[in-house]
Amino acid sequence: MQLIFDKSRPGRRAITWDNLDVTEKTGLPAECLRMVPPALPELGELDVVRHFTRLSQRNVGIDDTFYPLGSCTMKYNPKIAEVAAAQPGFAGLHPHLSSSESYWETCQGALELVYELERLLAEIAGMEASSLQPIAGAHGELTGALLMAAYHRDRGHAHKDTIIVPDSAHGTNPASAVVAGFKVVEVPSDANGQINLDKFRAAMTDNVAGIMLTCPNTHGLFEEQVQEIAKAAHAVDALLYYDGANLNAIIGQCRPGDLGFDVMHYNLHKTFATPHGMGGPGCGPVGVAKRLVPYLPGPRVVKRDAGFALVIPEKSIGRVAAFFGNFLIAVRAYAYLRYYGDEGLKDISRVAVLNANYIHARLKEAFKPAFDGRFMHECLFSAVPQAEHGVHAMDIAKALLDYGFHAPTVYFPLTVKECLMIEPTETESKETLDQFCDAMLDIAERAIHDPEALQTAPTSTPVGRLDEVRAARELNCACL
Amino acid sequence: MSWIPATDADRQEMLEVIGVDSIDDLFTSIPPSLRMKGWNMPPGMSEMNVRRHLSELAARNQAGAVSFLGGGYYDHYIPAAVDALSSRSEFYTAYTPYQPECSQGTLQSIYEYQSVMCRLTGLDYANASLYDGGTAVFEAAMMAMRITRRRRIVVHKSVNPRYREMLATHSAHVDAEIVNGKDPKDAACVIVQNPGFLGTVRDFGYLSERCRAAGALLVVVFYPISLGLLKTPGEMGADISVAEGQSLGLPLGFGGPYLGVMTVRKEHVRKMPGRIAGMTYDREGRRGFVLTLQAREQHIRREKAMSNICSNQALCALRALIYLSLLGPSGLREVAAACHAKAEHLKQQLAFAETLNNGPTFNEFAVRLKKDARQVVRILLQRGIHAGLPLADVGAGEANDLLIAVTEKRTRAELDALAQALEEVSCS
Amino acid sequence: MQPANLKYTRDHEWIGQDGAQYVVGITEFAQNQLGDITYVELPQVGRQVQQHEETAVVESVKAASDIYAPVAGTVAAVNEALESKPELVNKDPYGAGWFFKLEDIETSQLSALMDEAAYRTFLAEESH
């Protein structure tokens, strides 16, 4: 398919403006002006519409097909949430209306939404309070790490410079800790996919500022020693951080705050169904236990008799976003949350876990489960037996594309060889799960009898497997 | 629940295949003492009621006023095709292009976005997007520290105070020193903004020479629409340029989602944070696109990554690409010229107030009124006008100072009405 | 360089004498593990490095590895050919794919490294 620049024709245009109703001015000196106009494409509106419509047809989203990407919670994105966020009363609202008290009366509805959503998110996780400021999950981690740093600095714990992460953690955990200024110590998992408690205890020195855990962890297993971990952490005043990537497994069943976690982030684009948008925008609010509330990013929305107002917490770490983070994403999550309410939210985790266990039950003979324990919202297999026939996890992923499905997450976590990580979510029907399992079983058969065909998949997509080495060596990243 | 399709019969059949009696049996790995005792959660609502509730909340916001608010975020016209195309679900319900064969729409659009940003700014490489303008400034500063192995970040007075505050928050616990000014000596970078926060247009070309001589990088924060007219970061000799991309077809949305733009000089590409799409070919010689240079990123390099960024603002980057494709070079020049001309007209009408800019301005300028700007704003609110940003409230001026922005959406009648109202209110 | 004449580290680097200087590269095993190499970041000539200090970086599509200095010394030269042809590391890891040369090295550290036979044993143990 052509690039948009190939379709450009000099003089063609898609948009015209009103004639200027003031005198055209050039109050700008020549040295401040650009020398040549930017080489943007020149197109008619229909050219643009066709180009992007065709591009969209070279994509696959949840609205097209099952998208069982483990750790990403690719659930259906309800349309009502889009309608709610598109309302001019939200979409057209200038953010600086929050910057001056003189304008607060003009954004009371938006401030109420922020206030209510922060309150509900805190309640869901058993936290004291939350902040919508962090813009994405990794940004929430970074904010959480900054909160931990501020807490320890305030208490004079200058020696607490280390964050512990398990080897099964998302790569963002160690990266966020380092960006915040911490050192990272990695603790291994044991053969059952749980954190190795002995190694953890050995790493748990007085220098530890915090521990970042995902629970259930990225092996899809509930971290059963979480109470012991929390106890060991709190004994040296280290804080326990909850990576909310897998909150969908436990929402309404147990709460991070009740498990002993002190600080966490939520992924509104996972648990609360806001669209993933090809990789963003997401939204990664942080939640905190009582002792971290004074450090939250400011300003925060408070409720007063006269209406909603903004205050800066006494020991606030400051702003991590210019305003309230990805507000229009928060609007979508709020609509979703209010739709489900008490009983509905509890059913999310029940069916998410049911669906994952159903897939596990149907596939466990043909594929090697990565662990023996009870999987929660996602199930992990190792394609090592298939790899002996020359069919690797990547080949299985590519083959699935030819069956009309998106692939699961592969090669993550790094602790499982030839890993296939399947997360169905609660929004898929039994028929879809059965079709997917049938495809996987067919692939398992073919891996034995016809491995070559799988190694050349996919054949039904707009392009076949692409040469990533050439991309990295030639580095053509812009058409200039 | 309509978004959970499993019927009771489905659940029963699935439990039988799994070999357990109830769904509760699937949660036995959670120690019973840790199970939730109860929560304070409202009951669910029908879709109709959700819609009604959200409409009521939206109705309590005054988004329809005649607005002169700017301060880094601008009320520009968004062509209808931007919404129509970016709301195609193949785009918005897809995820990160981990499987490039079924994500060519995403990947080609990122490649085209990167191309457009390079062409706009006059630099060599762009990433697929960062979160927003403020975090992009922070990422640029960290990148400069990696490249120069220095720890001093020099921030010029022109930089948006919100960005400074975010820079300070994010770097509070790393070994960095943030100083004000523009002296590149021993610095990792000097960060400047054009137009400056108060709207003043400058040519920072002279600084690039000084930075180069001192071994520091020049980071230029720009306002994308202004580049329809103004000198580019590339022409000024910037090493890194960053921007808040909201003005490129994104709604104001009370603060987000927005778009962090970053473009860099060729020699710095491997130290750049964020995803990058690159062109390549499949075995049959068909052109395609993949995420490339991934070894910089957190999912591979973990604690040694260039940044912790994972998801970005891809859908917002798509909107910016569509917006710029619809405008083209002449459309962008015209919208920039209209913003400038209208702002100049308003400035002329406001001759009674002292202008605080000590140079030319683009579409925004600061005035010192004869009354407290906050009071003036309150009075003008009653007339359906959002008169501007009281600078004292963002720590960038005194009580009587007001920052006024003008976009192509404002008519001459609205400009004159603001001028008249300000004269009446602030001089009475 | 002849693999038999080199010394080896547990990080799969090799070091061998070339006149007054010592050449450093990665082993056949290491290049094979990394896969197609797409980029090599080399140190500045003249930089003094400690043993085990991160001195260069090698990247493939799916991995990035630090190259550590096998012994303390001063960087005397770097293999500039790798900037445009990183694939040399895959094709000829003991020859054209060398990374950098050290001089004024800590010779006691050198003699403590593994010889070829010891490295082979180490590889065999590691694969279990």
Side-chain angles (χ1 to χ4, degrees), chain A residues 400-419:
Chain A
L400 275 168
L401 306 182
D402 282 336
Y403 287 83
F405 298 109
H406 196 279
T409 296
V410 288
Y411 301 109
F412 179 82
L414 310 173
T415 42
V416 176
K417 273 188 188 161
E418 297 284 345
C419 190

mmCIF file with all atom_site columns, all heavy atoms in Angstrom, chain A residues 400-419:
data_model
loop_
_atom_site.group_PDB
_atom_site.id
_atom_site.type_symbol
_atom_site.label_atom_id
_atom_site.label_alt_id
_atom_site.label_comp_id
_atom_site.label_asym_id
_atom_site.label_entity_id
_atom_site.label_seq_id
_atom_site.pdbx_PDB_ins_code
_atom_site.Cartn_x
_atom_site.Cartn_y
_atom_site.Cartn_z
_atom_site.occupancy
_atom_site.B_iso_or_equiv
_atom_site.pdbx_formal_charge
_atom_site.auth_seq_id
_atom_site.auth_comp_id
_atom_site.auth_asym_id
_atom_site.auth_atom_id
_atom_site.pdbx_PDB_model_num
ATOM 1   N N   . LEU A 1 400 ? -2.073  -18.691 14.385 1.00 0.00 ? 400 LEU A N   1
ATOM 2   C CA  . LEU A 1 400 ? -3.388  -18.279 14.885 1.00 0.00 ? 400 LEU A CA  1
ATOM 3   C C   . LEU A 1 400 ? -3.964  -17.124 14.058 1.00 0.00 ? 400 LEU A C   1
ATOM 4   O O   . LEU A 1 400 ? -5.180  -17.011 13.914 1.00 0.00 ? 400 LEU A O   1
ATOM 5   C CB  . LEU A 1 400 ? -3.281  -17.865 16.359 1.00 0.00 ? 400 LEU A CB  1
ATOM 6   C CG  . LEU A 1 400 ? -3.389  -19.020 17.361 1.00 0.00 ? 400 LEU A CG  1
ATOM 7   C CD1 . LEU A 1 400 ? -2.986  -18.538 18.742 1.00 0.00 ? 400 LEU A CD1 1
ATOM 8   C CD2 . LEU A 1 400 ? -4.803  -19.595 17.395 1.00 0.00 ? 400 LEU A CD2 1
ATOM 9   N N   . LEU A 1 401 ? -3.087  -16.272 13.533 1.00 0.00 ? 401 LEU A N   1
ATOM 10  C CA  . LEU A 1 401 ? -3.572  -15.165 12.714 1.00 0.00 ? 401 LEU A CA  1
ATOM 11  C C   . LEU A 1 401 ? -4.319  -15.701 11.491 1.00 0.00 ? 401 LEU A C   1
ATOM 12  O O   . LEU A 1 401 ? -5.322  -15.137 11.070 1.00 0.00 ? 401 LEU A O   1
ATOM 13  C CB  . LEU A 1 401 ? -2.411  -14.261 12.257 1.00 0.00 ? 401 LEU A CB  1
ATOM 14  C CG  . LEU A 1 401 ? -1.483  -13.691 13.331 1.00 0.00 ? 401 LEU A CG  1
ATOM 15  C CD1 . LEU A 1 401 ? -0.430  -12.787 12.698 1.00 0.00 ? 401 LEU A CD1 1
ATOM 16  C CD2 . LEU A 1 401 ? -2.257  -12.934 14.402 1.00 0.00 ? 401 LEU A CD2 1
ATOM 17  N N   . ASP A 1 402 ? -3.848  -16.820 10.951 1.00 0.00 ? 402 ASP A N   1
ATOM 18  C CA  . ASP A 1 402 ? -4.510  -17.411 9.787  1.00 0.00 ? 402 ASP A CA  1
ATOM 19  C C   . ASP A 1 402 ? -5.856  -18.052 10.145 1.00 0.00 ? 402 ASP A C   1
ATOM 20  O O   . ASP A 1 402 ? -6.673  -18.305 9.266  1.00 0.00 ? 402 ASP A O   1
ATOM 21  C CB  . ASP A 1 402 ? -3.600  -18.452 9.120  1.00 0.00 ? 402 ASP A CB  1
ATOM 22  C CG  . ASP A 1 402 ? -2.511  -17.798 8.274  1.00 0.00 ? 402 ASP A CG  1
ATOM 23  O OD1 . ASP A 1 402 ? -2.723  -16.643 7.841  1.00 0.00 ? 402 ASP A OD1 1
ATOM 24  O OD2 . ASP A 1 402 ? -1.465  -18.431 8.051  1.00 0.00 ? 402 ASP A OD2 1
ATOM 25  N N   . TYR A 1 403 ? -6.052  -18.346 11.428 1.00 0.00 ? 403 TYR A N   1
ATOM 26  C CA  . TYR A 1 403 ? -7.363  -18.845 11.876 1.00 0.00 ? 403 TYR A CA  1
ATOM 27  C C   . TYR A 1 403 ? -8.310  -17.690 12.208 1.00 0.00 ? 403 TYR A C   1
ATOM 28  O O   . TYR A 1 403 ? -9.412  -17.903 12.671 1.00 0.00 ? 403 TYR A O   1
ATOM 29  C CB  . TYR A 1 403 ? -7.200  -19.741 13.110 1.00 0.00 ? 403 TYR A CB  1
ATOM 30  C CG  . TYR A 1 403 ? -6.590  -21.101 12.828 1.00 0.00 ? 403 TYR A CG  1
ATOM 31  C CD1 . TYR A 1 403 ? -5.218  -21.258 12.734 1.00 0.00 ? 403 TYR A CD1 1
ATOM 32  C CD2 . TYR A 1 403 ? -7.399  -22.219 12.650 1.00 0.00 ? 403 TYR A CD2 1
ATOM 33  C CE1 . TYR A 1 403 ? -4.651  -22.502 12.481 1.00 0.00 ? 403 TYR A CE1 1
ATOM 34  C CE2 . TYR A 1 403 ? -6.845  -23.478 12.396 1.00 0.00 ? 403 TYR A CE2 1
ATOM 35  C CZ  . TYR A 1 403 ? -5.469  -23.609 12.315 1.00 0.00 ? 403 TYR A CZ  1
ATOM 36  O OH  . TYR A 1 403 ? -4.923  -24.842 12.057 1.00 0.00 ? 403 TYR A OH  1
ATOM 37  N N   . GLY A 1 404 ? -7.846  -16.475 12.017 1.00 0.00 ? 404 GLY A N   1
ATOM 38  C CA  . GLY A 1 404 ? -8.704  -15.321 12.251 1.00 0.00 ? 404 GLY A CA  1
ATOM 39  C C   . GLY A 1 404 ? -8.681  -14.796 13.673 1.00 0.00 ? 404 GLY A C   1
ATOM 40  O O   . GLY A 1 404 ? -9.508  -13.961 14.048 1.00 0.00 ? 404 GLY A O   1
ATOM 41  N N   . PHE A 1 405 ? -7.732  -15.263 14.485 1.00 0.00 ? 405 PHE A N   1
ATOM 42  C CA  . PHE A 1 405 ? -7.618  -14.753 15.857 1.00 0.00 ? 405 PHE A CA  1
ATOM 43  C C   . PHE A 1 405 ? -6.377  -13.897 15.996 1.00 0.00 ? 405 PHE A C   1
ATOM 44  O O   . PHE A 1 405 ? -5.412  -14.075 15.262 1.00 0.00 ? 405 PHE A O   1
ATOM 45  C CB  . PHE A 1 405 ? -7.514  -15.920 16.858 1.00 0.00 ? 405 PHE A CB  1
ATOM 46  C CG  . PHE A 1 405 ? -8.714  -16.808 16.862 1.00 0.00 ? 405 PHE A CG  1
ATOM 47  C CD1 . PHE A 1 405 ? -8.658  -18.094 16.345 1.00 0.00 ? 405 PHE A CD1 1
ATOM 48  C CD2 . PHE A 1 405 ? -9.921  -16.353 17.379 1.00 0.00 ? 405 PHE A CD2 1
ATOM 49  C CE1 . PHE A 1 405 ? -9.773  -18.915 16.340 1.00 0.00 ? 405 PHE A CE1 1
ATOM 50  C CE2 . PHE A 1 405 ? -11.042 -17.172 17.383 1.00 0.00 ? 405 PHE A CE2 1
ATOM 51  C CZ  . PHE A 1 405 ? -10.965 -18.459 16.851 1.00 0.00 ? 405 PHE A CZ  1
ATOM 52  N N   . HIS A 1 406 ? -6.397  -12.993 16.981 1.00 0.00 ? 406 HIS A N   1
ATOM 53  C CA  . HIS A 1 406 ? -5.132  -12.378 17.347 1.00 0.00 ? 406 HIS A CA  1
ATOM 54  C C   . HIS A 1 406 ? -4.351  -13.396 18.163 1.00 0.00 ? 406 HIS A C   1
ATOM 55  O O   . HIS A 1 406 ? -4.932  -14.345 18.699 1.00 0.00 ? 406 HIS A O   1
ATOM 56  C CB  . HIS A 1 406 ? -5.340  -11.088 18.144 1.00 0.00 ? 406 HIS A CB  1
ATOM 57  C CG  . HIS A 1 406 ? -4.107  -10.233 18.201 1.00 0.00 ? 406 HIS A CG  1
ATOM 58  N ND1 . HIS A 1 406 ? -3.089  -10.480 19.093 1.00 0.00 ? 406 HIS A ND1 1
ATOM 59  C CD2 . HIS A 1 406 ? -3.708  -9.182  17.446 1.00 0.00 ? 406 HIS A CD2 1
ATOM 60  C CE1 . HIS A 1 406 ? -2.118  -9.601  18.888 1.00 0.00 ? 406 HIS A CE1 1
ATOM 61  N NE2 . HIS A 1 406 ? -2.469  -8.801  17.888 1.00 0.00 ? 406 HIS A NE2 1
ATOM 62  N N   . ALA A 1 407 ? -3.040  -13.231 18.228 1.00 0.00 ? 407 ALA A N   1
ATOM 63  C CA  . ALA A 1 407 ? -2.202  -14.174 18.961 1.00 0.00 ? 407 ALA A CA  1
ATOM 64  C C   . ALA A 1 407 ? -2.234  -13.865 20.448 1.00 0.00 ? 407 ALA A C   1
ATOM 65  O O   . ALA A 1 407 ? -2.484  -12.735 20.848 1.00 0.00 ? 407 ALA A O   1
ATOM 66  C CB  . ALA A 1 407 ? -0.777  -14.080 18.452 1.00 0.00 ? 407 ALA A CB  1
ATOM 67  N N   . PRO A 1 408 ? -1.925  -14.878 21.287 1.00 0.00 ? 408 PRO A N   1
ATOM 68  C CA  . PRO A 1 408 ? -1.676  -14.584 22.699 1.00 0.00 ? 408 PRO A CA  1
ATOM 69  C C   . PRO A 1 408 ? -0.340  -13.848 22.846 1.00 0.00 ? 408 PRO A C   1
ATOM 70  O O   . PRO A 1 408 ? 0.395   -13.684 21.864 1.00 0.00 ? 408 PRO A O   1
ATOM 71  C CB  . PRO A 1 408 ? -1.576  -15.968 23.350 1.00 0.00 ? 408 PRO A CB  1
ATOM 72  C CG  . PRO A 1 408 ? -1.719  -16.974 22.285 1.00 0.00 ? 408 PRO A CG  1
ATOM 73  C CD  . PRO A 1 408 ? -1.748  -16.290 20.954 1.00 0.00 ? 408 PRO A CD  1
ATOM 74  N N   . THR A 1 409 ? -0.028  -13.434 24.066 1.00 0.00 ? 409 THR A N   1
ATOM 75  C CA  . THR A 1 409 ? 1.307   -12.903 24.338 1.00 0.00 ? 409 THR A CA  1
ATOM 76  C C   . THR A 1 409 ? 2.298   -14.064 24.265 1.00 0.00 ? 409 THR A C   1
ATOM 77  O O   . THR A 1 409 ? 2.018   -15.147 24.783 1.00 0.00 ? 409 THR A O   1
ATOM 78  C CB  . THR A 1 409 ? 1.323   -12.260 25.738 1.00 0.00 ? 409 THR A CB  1
ATOM 79  O OG1 . THR A 1 409 ? 0.426   -11.149 25.717 1.00 0.00 ? 409 THR A OG1 1
ATOM 80  C CG2 . THR A 1 409 ? 2.709   -11.792 26.135 1.00 0.00 ? 409 THR A CG2 1
ATOM 81  N N   . VAL A 1 410 ? 3.422   -13.851 23.610 1.00 0.00 ? 410 VAL A N   1
ATOM 82  C CA  . VAL A 1 410 ? 4.433   -14.920 23.527 1.00 0.00 ? 410 VAL A CA  1
ATOM 83  C C   . VAL A 1 410 ? 5.765   -14.417 24.072 1.00 0.00 ? 410 VAL A C   1
ATOM 84  O O   . VAL A 1 410 ? 6.044   -13.216 24.048 1.00 0.00 ? 410 VAL A O   1
ATOM 85  C CB  . VAL A 1 410 ? 4.609   -15.423 22.072 1.00 0.00 ? 410 VAL A CB  1
ATOM 86  C CG1 . VAL A 1 410 ? 3.400   -16.238 21.651 1.00 0.00 ? 410 VAL A CG1 1
ATOM 87  C CG2 . VAL A 1 410 ? 4.847   -14.291 21.095 1.00 0.00 ? 410 VAL A CG2 1
ATOM 88  N N   . TYR A 1 411 ? 6.559   -15.353 24.574 1.00 0.00 ? 411 TYR A N   1
ATOM 89  C CA  . TYR A 1 411 ? 7.902   -15.063 25.113 1.00 0.00 ? 411 TYR A CA  1
ATOM 90  C C   . TYR A 1 411 ? 7.868   -14.099 26.302 1.00 0.00 ? 411 TYR A C   1
ATOM 91  O O   . TYR A 1 411 ? 8.843   -13.439 26.594 1.00 0.00 ? 411 TYR A O   1
ATOM 92  C CB  . TYR A 1 411 ? 8.844   -14.554 24.016 1.00 0.00 ? 411 TYR A CB  1
ATOM 93  C CG  . TYR A 1 411 ? 8.996   -15.545 22.892 1.00 0.00 ? 411 TYR A CG  1
ATOM 94  C CD1 . TYR A 1 411 ? 8.437   -15.308 21.645 1.00 0.00 ? 411 TYR A CD1 1
ATOM 95  C CD2 . TYR A 1 411 ? 9.676   -16.738 23.106 1.00 0.00 ? 411 TYR A CD2 1
ATOM 96  C CE1 . TYR A 1 411 ? 8.550   -16.248 20.622 1.00 0.00 ? 411 TYR A CE1 1
ATOM 97  C CE2 . TYR A 1 411 ? 9.792   -17.679 22.103 1.00 0.00 ? 411 TYR A CE2 1
ATOM 98  C CZ  . TYR A 1 411 ? 9.232   -17.435 20.858 1.00 0.00 ? 411 TYR A CZ  1
ATOM 99  O OH  . TYR A 1 411 ? 9.341   -18.368 19.863 1.00 0.00 ? 411 TYR A OH  1
ATOM 100 N N   . PHE A 1 412 ? 6.739   -13.981 26.951 1.00 0.00 ? 412 PHE A N   1
ATOM 101 C CA  . PHE A 1 412 ? 6.664   -13.259 28.216 1.00 0.00 ? 412 PHE A CA  1
ATOM 102 C C   . PHE A 1 412 ? 5.722   -14.036 29.114 1.00 0.00 ? 412 PHE A C   1
ATOM 103 O O   . PHE A 1 412 ? 4.690   -14.497 28.630 1.00 0.00 ? 412 PHE A O   1
ATOM 104 C CB  . PHE A 1 412 ? 6.159   -11.823 28.037 1.00 0.00 ? 412 PHE A CB  1
ATOM 105 C CG  . PHE A 1 412 ? 6.077   -11.098 29.361 1.00 0.00 ? 412 PHE A CG  1
ATOM 106 C CD1 . PHE A 1 412 ? 7.203   -10.519 29.917 1.00 0.00 ? 412 PHE A CD1 1
ATOM 107 C CD2 . PHE A 1 412 ? 4.879   -11.074 30.080 1.00 0.00 ? 412 PHE A CD2 1
ATOM 108 C CE1 . PHE A 1 412 ? 7.140   -9.911  31.162 1.00 0.00 ? 412 PHE A CE1 1
ATOM 109 C CE2 . PHE A 1 412 ? 4.829   -10.468 31.329 1.00 0.00 ? 412 PHE A CE2 1
ATOM 110 C CZ  . PHE A 1 412 ? 5.953   -9.886  31.856 1.00 0.00 ? 412 PHE A CZ  1
ATOM 111 N N   . PRO A 1 413 ? 6.010   -14.183 30.400 1.00 0.00 ? 413 PRO A N   1
ATOM 112 C CA  . PRO A 1 413 ? 7.213   -13.729 31.096 1.00 0.00 ? 413 PRO A CA  1
ATOM 113 C C   . PRO A 1 413 ? 8.463   -14.524 30.678 1.00 0.00 ? 413 PRO A C   1
ATOM 114 O O   . PRO A 1 413 ? 8.355   -15.619 30.148 1.00 0.00 ? 413 PRO A O   1
ATOM 115 C CB  . PRO A 1 413 ? 6.885   -13.978 32.568 1.00 0.00 ? 413 PRO A CB  1
ATOM 116 C CG  . PRO A 1 413 ? 5.836   -15.038 32.554 1.00 0.00 ? 413 PRO A CG  1
ATOM 117 C CD  . PRO A 1 413 ? 5.048   -14.818 31.312 1.00 0.00 ? 413 PRO A CD  1
ATOM 118 N N   . LEU A 1 414 ? 9.610   -13.902 30.964 1.00 0.00 ? 414 LEU A N   1
ATOM 119 C CA  . LEU A 1 414 ? 10.881  -14.471 30.533 1.00 0.00 ? 414 LEU A CA  1
ATOM 120 C C   . LEU A 1 414 ? 11.221  -15.750 31.309 1.00 0.00 ? 414 LEU A C   1
ATOM 121 O O   . LEU A 1 414 ? 12.112  -16.490 30.930 1.00 0.00 ? 414 LEU A O   1
ATOM 122 C CB  . LEU A 1 414 ? 12.001  -13.441 30.731 1.00 0.00 ? 414 LEU A CB  1
ATOM 123 C CG  . LEU A 1 414 ? 11.701  -12.056 30.152 1.00 0.00 ? 414 LEU A CG  1
ATOM 124 C CD1 . LEU A 1 414 ? 12.792  -11.059 30.544 1.00 0.00 ? 414 LEU A CD1 1
ATOM 125 C CD2 . LEU A 1 414 ? 11.552  -12.097 28.647 1.00 0.00 ? 414 LEU A CD2 1
ATOM 126 N N   . THR A 1 415 ? 10.479  -15.978 32.392 1.00 0.00 ? 415 THR A N   1
ATOM 127 C CA  . THR A 1 415 ? 10.742  -17.134 33.256 1.00 0.00 ? 415 THR A CA  1
ATOM 128 C C   . THR A 1 415 ? 10.220  -18.440 32.658 1.00 0.00 ? 415 THR A C   1
ATOM 129 O O   . THR A 1 415 ? 10.541  -19.507 33.151 1.00 0.00 ? 415 THR A O   1
ATOM 130 C CB  . THR A 1 415 ? 10.054  -16.908 34.608 1.00 0.00 ? 415 THR A CB  1
ATOM 131 O OG1 . THR A 1 415 ? 8.751   -16.355 34.350 1.00 0.00 ? 415 THR A OG1 1
ATOM 132 C CG2 . THR A 1 415 ? 10.825  -15.956 35.477 1.00 0.00 ? 415 THR A CG2 1
ATOM 133 N N   . VAL A 1 416 ? 9.378   -18.358 31.630 1.00 0.00 ? 416 VAL A N   1
ATOM 134 C CA  . VAL A 1 416 ? 8.802   -19.562 31.018 1.00 0.00 ? 416 VAL A CA  1
ATOM 135 C C   . VAL A 1 416 ? 9.340   -19.694 29.598 1.00 0.00 ? 416 VAL A C   1
ATOM 136 O O   . VAL A 1 416 ? 9.189   -18.777 28.787 1.00 0.00 ? 416 VAL A O   1
ATOM 137 C CB  . VAL A 1 416 ? 7.255   -19.481 30.986 1.00 0.00 ? 416 VAL A CB  1
ATOM 138 C CG1 . VAL A 1 416 ? 6.672   -20.695 30.270 1.00 0.00 ? 416 VAL A CG1 1
ATOM 139 C CG2 . VAL A 1 416 ? 6.702   -19.365 32.401 1.00 0.00 ? 416 VAL A CG2 1
ATOM 140 N N   . LYS A 1 417 ? 9.957   -20.845 29.314 1.00 0.00 ? 417 LYS A N   1
ATOM 141 C CA  . LYS A 1 417 ? 10.496  -21.054 27.968 1.00 0.00 ? 417 LYS A CA  1
ATOM 142 C C   . LYS A 1 417 ? 9.361   -21.193 26.964 1.00 0.00 ? 417 LYS A C   1
ATOM 143 O O   . LYS A 1 417 ? 8.367   -21.861 27.246 1.00 0.00 ? 417 LYS A O   1
ATOM 144 C CB  . LYS A 1 417 ? 11.342  -22.330 27.951 1.00 0.00 ? 417 LYS A CB  1
ATOM 145 C CG  . LYS A 1 417 ? 12.774  -22.077 28.339 1.00 0.00 ? 417 LYS A CG  1
ATOM 146 C CD  . LYS A 1 417 ? 13.628  -23.316 28.113 1.00 0.00 ? 417 LYS A CD  1
ATOM 147 C CE  . LYS A 1 417 ? 15.012  -23.064 28.701 1.00 0.00 ? 417 LYS A CE  1
ATOM 148 N NZ  . LYS A 1 417 ? 15.748  -24.285 28.948 1.00 0.00 ? 417 LYS A NZ  1
ATOM 149 N N   . GLU A 1 418 ? 9.521   -20.617 25.781 1.00 0.00 ? 418 GLU A N   1
ATOM 150 C CA  . GLU A 1 418 ? 8.525   -20.767 24.707 1.00 0.00 ? 418 GLU A CA  1
ATOM 151 C C   . GLU A 1 418 ? 7.118   -20.466 25.236 1.00 0.00 ? 418 GLU A C   1
ATOM 152 O O   . GLU A 1 418 ? 6.166   -21.220 25.021 1.00 0.00 ? 418 GLU A O   1
ATOM 153 C CB  . GLU A 1 418 ? 8.575   -22.181 24.120 1.00 0.00 ? 418 GLU A CB  1
ATOM 154 C CG  . GLU A 1 418 ? 9.895   -22.535 23.455 1.00 0.00 ? 418 GLU A CG  1
ATOM 155 C CD  . GLU A 1 418 ? 10.053  -21.878 22.077 1.00 0.00 ? 418 GLU A CD  1
ATOM 156 O OE1 . GLU A 1 418 ? 9.050   -21.390 21.512 1.00 0.00 ? 418 GLU A OE1 1
ATOM 157 O OE2 . GLU A 1 418 ? 11.198  -21.823 21.586 1.00 0.00 ? 418 GLU A OE2 1
ATOM 158 N N   . CYS A 1 419 ? 6.989   -19.359 25.923 1.00 0.00 ? 419 CYS A N   1
ATOM 159 C CA  . CYS A 1 419 ? 5.747   -19.071 26.647 1.00 0.00 ? 419 CYS A CA  1
ATOM 160 C C   . CYS A 1 419 ? 4.607   -18.607 25.733 1.00 0.00 ? 419 CYS A C   1
ATOM 161 O O   . CYS A 1 419 ? 4.797   -17.782 24.851 1.00 0.00 ? 419 CYS A O   1
ATOM 162 C CB  . CYS A 1 419 ? 5.998   -17.998 27.705 1.00 0.00 ? 419 CYS A CB  1
ATOM 163 S SG  . CYS A 1 419 ? 4.598   -17.791 28.808 1.00 0.00 ? 419 CYS A SG  1
#
